[in-house]
Amino acid sequence: AANYIFSEGKRLESLSFKLLDLLVLEKKEIALVPARPAQIVGGMVEHLKRVYEEKGIVLQCRCEDGVCLLEPDLVKSLLVNILDNSRKAMDKGGNIYIMSEMTEEGCRIRVLDTGRGIPQEEISHITEAFYRVDKSRSRAQGGVGLGLSLCSEIVRLHNGTMEFASRIGNGTCVTVELKGGRA
């Protein structure tokens, strides 16, 4: 547990410096390196599984092996934010299923949850900074409305797209295409 806390602290420190670089230096590009999305997703699920199970949430993943160009720390942050939103959308437990597959231009990651869903009229706003669908619930759970805004920026830096499909009472599917290229 201490090793995990230390490694996550180092990852967050590294991510903070990268985000600071992005903001202060107004970088338009990041250094993409060959990475295995399956390892990133699988590692994230393995680290979060126990914490989510304590809240009655089952995490499952299915990942296609392959290599593409990514910034691994930013992709981990993307996953943490999407998974955290899925967790917050479940009042009494549920399931979160993560899939990664290789594409010609990089990879596609889908996160499906059995949460409460997002009203259609809210979907176009959820990546805006400080926007929260349910203000009272988000505040109680520690949200400030920056997670999906950060995700949107991470996806943009990978020349990608992020789409949301949701039905009230049935959950949400977030589809992220990262198009940094294949290694």
Side-chain angles (χ1 to χ4, degrees):
N3 188 32
Y4 172 69
I5 292 169
F6 177 78
S7 67
E8 281 301 293
K10 285 304 213 183
R11 183 186 69 78
L12 290 173
E13 178 185 46
S14 173
L15 178 62
S16 297
F17 286 128
K18 288 175 186 173
L19 291 173
L20 189 59
D21 283 346
L22 289 172
L23 293 171
V24 174
L25 303 177
E26 296 180 346
K27 278 184 160 179
K28 303 240 188 297
E29 292 184 20
I30 56 173
L32 302 178
V33 299
R36 296 186 176 281
Q39 285 181 341
I40 295 170
V41 171
M44 187 63 58
V45 168
E46 198 56 42
H47 286 308
L48 295 175
K49 199 173 227 171
R50 183 175 296 144
V51 174
Y52 278 57
E53 283 175 354
E54 290 172 3
K55 298 181 183 312
I57 299 170
V58 177
L59 275 179
Q60 298 176 336
C61 71
R62 185 190 64 168
C63 302
E64 179 182 346
D65 196 29
V67 177
C68 63
L69 299 174
L70 304 170
E71 203 306 315
D73 286 335
L74 291 178
V75 173
K76 286 178 185 177
S77 183
L78 170 84
L79 286 169
V80 165
N81 280 294
I82 292 172
L83 291 171
D84 193 49
N85 282 346
S86 291
R87 178 188 59 79
K88 289 176 182 176
M90 294 183 206
D91 297 318
K92 297 176 181 154
N95 296 296
I96 300 174
Y97 191 63
I98 306 128
M99 297 178 290
S100 73
E101 57 189 338
M102 303 309 296
T103 65
E104 284 186 25
E105 299 174 293
C107 69
R108 177 180 305 115
I109 299 171
R110 282 195 177 104
V111 178
L112 297 93
D113 69 53
T114 59
R116 73 179 76 83
I118 304 166
Q120 281 304 126
E121 63 274 9
E122 304 282 346
I123 288 179
S124 64
H125 300 287
I126 59 177
T127 59
E128 297 172 8
F130 303 109
Y131 189 84
R132 296 178 298 197
V133 173
D134 186 337
K135 281 89 174 136
S136 64
R137 216 181 284 264
S138 294
R139 195 174 301 117
Q141 295 171 336
V144 294
L146 286 175
L148 289 178
S149 180
L150 176 61
C151 289
S152 183
E153 183 65 13
I154 291 168
V155 169
R156 184 191 69 75
L157 290 168
H158 285 84
N159 300 314
T161 60
M162 183 167 55
E163 297 177 359
F164 300 86
S166 190
R167 288 182 48 196
I168 297 297
N170 288 329
T172 301
C173 175
V174 181
T175 303
V176 174
E177 298 255 358
L178 302 175
K179 301 175 184 179
R182 294 290 296 263

